[in-house]
Amino acid sequence: MIRTMKPQAILEASLYAQNLDESERFYRKTIGLDLITRSGDRHLAFRCGPTVLVVFNRRLSIQRPVMGARAPVPPHGTQGPGHVCFSVYADQIPMWIDRLTRERVRIEADFAWPTGGRSVFFRDPDQNCIELAEPRIWPPASM
């Protein structure tokens, strides 16, 4: 049997920030992610289930890597806010809203999708659009 070549999953997603100290506090304390590594003021990497969220310093990620760098990642970045959606259990969404409220994070949207599932949207310290959603907002993968 010949399989069609396609990616199996998203291994990492990236957001861009101005202040990594604020981002580290937000993603550790407010979101509850475990920090895997911090590379000075260049980037943070957080574990999120089987995936990784990398938060890059916007200014440094667009620069060319130092010659001879161990990992010469090409320059990259975005202009304006990015977006990431975290998968959460439906019965935990009210608890997430309570946590965000206690942390003084303003909820921008909280709604049920016509096809099923609920999403809550808010901003991180760099104005990236963060979503917490039930996985059922997307149709299940076909085998």
Side-chain angles (χ1 to χ4, degrees):
M1 176 167 108
I2 297 175
R3 283 191 234 176
T4 303
M5 284 181 41
K6 63 180 178 179
Q8 299 168 14
I10 293 175
L11 181 61
E12 68 182 34
S14 299
L15 293 174
Y16 297 87
Q18 299 292 343
N19 184 320
L20 291 188
D21 292 332
E22 285 183 18
S23 292
E24 183 176 350
R25 275 191 296 278
F26 180 82
Y27 287 100
R28 288 179 86 173
K29 183 179 179 191
T30 304
I31 304 300
L33 298 180
D34 293 324
L35 182 68
I36 299 170
T37 187
R38 178 170 182 153
S39 180
D41 202 33
R42 185 163 174 63
H43 70 269
L44 306 163
F46 298 95
R47 174 69 55 204
C48 183
T51 62
V52 173
L53 173 66
V54 183
V55 180
F56 285 99
N57 177 319
R58 180 175 281 120
R59 183 179 49 81
L60 297 179
S61 69
I62 61 172
Q63 297 175 1
R64 288 233 167 258
V66 176
M67 292 306 292
R70 217 176 68 216
V73 176
H76 53 82
T78 63
Q79 295 295 321
H83 170 71
V84 68
C85 177
F86 294 105
S87 173
V88 297
Y89 294 110
D91 62 351
Q92 291 182 346
I93 290 178
M95 292 180 277
W96 276 106
I97 292 170
D98 288 344
R99 177 190 282 183
L100 294 167
T101 301
R102 281 193 314 275
E103 294 292 326
R104 301 190 193 300
V105 175
R106 186 175 74 80
I107 305 294
E108 288 188 19
D110 174 1
F111 61 91
W113 291 89
T115 54
R118 182 176 174 190
S119 286
V120 175
F121 292 84
F122 53 95
R123 301 283 170 169
D124 75 0
D126 284 278
Q127 300 307 301
N128 290 301
C129 180
I130 310 302
E131 180 181 5
L132 301 174
E134 295 176 62
R136 66 187 180 128
I137 69 169
W138 290 104
S142 58
M143 295 293 171

